[in-house]
Amino acid sequence: MSYSLMDPNSYERYSRQILFAEIGEAGQQRLLESSAVIVGCGALGTALANLLVRAGVGRLRIVDRDFVEPSNLQRQTLFEEADARESLPKAVAAERRLRAINSGVAVEGIVADVGPKNAEDLLHGFPLILDGTDNFETRLLLNDVSVHLGVPWIYAAVVASYGVTLTVRPGLTACLACVLESAGTSGIDGASASVAGAEDTCDTVGVLGAAAGVIASIEAAEAIKLLVGKTESAGGRLVSFDVWSGRFQSVRVERNPECRACARHEFHYLEGDAQPHLTMCGRDSVQIHERRRQLDLAALGRRLAPTVAEVRENGFLLRFRVPPYEMTIFPDGRAIIKGTRDPAVARSLYARYISI
Ligand SMILES: [Zn+2]
């Protein structure tokens, strides 16, 4: 571990960043002593984690609920073919790769689905929360946590060739609820435009790795500014970039004095049982959220083997096929059922194979 610049190897390692005047030795030392948590480890999360671990952020926690699939490899830069073959959880594969990239950073991958019940436990204690998620429900939850804990967070989203990011410093700059929930009430056309695209997802219109790379880079630069204490140049602007058209926008967004989250402190997403027990997950999958139970996946796999097809278990998840469906089960009881959008089908499969 090398948390100090007194170590000549550390100095050499970070020398090009230290030469950058806005960081310098003092900034690098602060970065080495800093920490951050990334929620979601897809295209944005992997690119962001790679940049921050190489930059020397002292401690990085990565929370993700999914496993690596072949369709991820086109843009999720920390993962390799073997990770997809083995269906490794993204948090596990990312942690392994990042530790190999920089052994001086304490990287911690956590396989979990961030929801209202566990969000503060997973995110507290970090001075910065970073968005690598793919849905607005989780982002508004992160926004609630950020405002509630008084900790900055950086929103980022990418779809097709377009991406957008906003740094939120609670109480000082506009939060995501200021932007999303009051769209149309003030001069935030850029924000409205980005919200209008919110129903498009990477599962319906695709996504370019190049777009994710641009937005993750902007997010990483904002993160580094905050972590080295150069806060004056962070936040307050909704930045968007379309790598296909080349259109770039940076729109100043103001706080909404009536904002539900950062003015009135009404944390619907954090307090509410806003998260349904079942959610759609991609184009043809249903997720059954964790039931907070401990499953012995190996034993379950052995029990199911005579009745289902293609049973695979790797210590992190159990997967099997019940044609035309594929079920993936995690140790906490969470499950992803692929091949249906019908909650009743998913519930019935879960009851039949897991709730025994
Ligand atoms: Zn707000």
Side-chain angles (χ1 to χ4, degrees):
M1 304 295 272
S2 46
Y3 287 113
S4 171
L5 285 182
M6 300 304 284
D7 169 4
N9 290 334
S10 282
Y11 201 97
E12 170 65 18
R13 176 167 199 140
Y14 301 114
S15 57
R16 301 307 186 274
Q17 200 162 270
I18 292 168
L19 282 169
F20 178 62
E22 293 289 337
I23 294 183
E25 276 187 45
Q28 186 63 48
Q29 188 58 52
R30 283 187 74 159
L31 206 52
L32 292 168
E33 291 163 2
S34 73
S35 64
V37 53
I38 299 180
V39 180
C41 195
L44 285 171
T46 52
L48 180 62
N50 177 51
L51 288 166
L52 293 181
V53 162
R54 286 183 192 275
V57 168
R59 179 170 164 240
L60 189 67
R61 173 179 287 177
I62 298 169
V63 188
D64 189 279
R65 66 187 185 186
D66 286 322
F67 44 84
V68 183
E69 296 181 275
S71 67
N72 301 149
L73 299 177
Q74 159 256 352
R75 65 196 178 284
Q76 301 185 13
T77 52
L78 292 176
F79 307 136
E80 301 173 4
E81 291 174 1
D83 301 326
R85 268 199 306 277
E86 294 166 30
S87 299
L88 279 185
K90 291 181 178 180
V92 172
E95 180 188 301
R96 282 185 190 169
R97 183 76 192 280
L98 291 165
R99 283 172 182 261
I101 287 169
N102 190 344
S103 58
V105 174
V107 182
E108 177 191 24
I110 296 181
V111 186
D113 183 24
V114 174
K117 292 199 183 79
N118 62 6
E120 291 207 315
D121 282 347
L122 289 167
L123 306 179
H124 86 92
F126 290 87
L128 178 62
I129 300 167
L130 298 166
D131 181 10
T133 71
D134 59 0
N135 66 85
F136 276 95
E137 189 180 307
T138 310
R139 291 186 180 114
L140 285 164
L141 173 64
L142 297 185
N143 190 70
D144 275 8
V145 171
S146 152
V147 175
H148 188 234
L149 297 178
V151 164
W153 82 288
I154 304 179
Y155 153 65
V158 62
V159 65
S161 59
Y162 171 83
V164 58
T165 179
L166 172 74
T167 299
V168 175
R169 298 167 62 212
L172 298 170
T173 67
C175 80
L176 190 62
C178 289
V179 176
L180 291 187
E181 296 175 7
S182 57
T185 60
S186 57
I188 49 171
D189 292 342
S192 304
S194 66
V195 175
E199 66 275 14
D200 290 334
T201 75
C202 300
D203 286 309
T204 57
V205 297
V207 58
L208 296 183
V214 168
I215 296 302
S217 292
I218 298 171
E219 192 179 7
E222 289 285 294
I224 289 170
K225 285 182 209 171
L226 292 175
L227 294 174
V228 304
K230 298 288 172 119
T231 52
E232 65 281 359
S233 43
R237 301 191 79 85
L238 191 73
V239 175
S240 64
F241 209 112
D242 187 320
V243 296
W244 209 257
S245 68
R247 186 158 170 263
F248 167 82
Q249 259 195 326
S250 174
V251 184
R252 175 154 290 286
V253 285
E254 302 297 338
R255 287 188 68 197
N256 170 8
E258 302 293 313
C259 175
R260 183 263 308 162
C262 73
R264 300 206 306 268
H265 289 186
E266 292 167 10
F267 303 118
H268 299 329
Y269 288 83
L270 183 56
E271 285 162 3
D273 45 1
Q275 192 179 39
H277 185 57
L278 285 167
T279 49
M280 294 306 137
C281 168
R283 208 169 5 180
D284 66 340
S285 299
V286 174
Q287 176 170 222
I288 297 183
H289 292 279
E290 66 181 75
R291 304 221 166 162
R292 301 202 171 275
R293 51 193 280 191
Q294 279 306 117
L295 291 176
D296 180 340
L297 295 181
L300 182 60
R302 283 193 298 275
R303 198 165 68 225
L304 291 174
T307 52
V308 301
E310 296 170 45
V311 178
R312 290 173 61 198
E313 193 271 327
N314 65 9
F316 304 106
L317 57 82
L318 167 70
R319 176 176 293 162
F320 55 88
R321 286 182 58 78
V322 183
Y325 312 108
E326 179 187 86
M327 297 186 65
T328 304
I329 319 296
F330 296 86
D332 59 9
R334 186 165 59 86
I336 295 173
I337 291 112
K338 198 170 173 183
T340 183
R341 286 184 59 80
D342 184 344
V345 170
R347 225 180 249 119
S348 137
L349 286 165
Y350 192 92
R352 187 163 157 205
Y353 292 101
I354 312 306
S355 302
I356 311 173

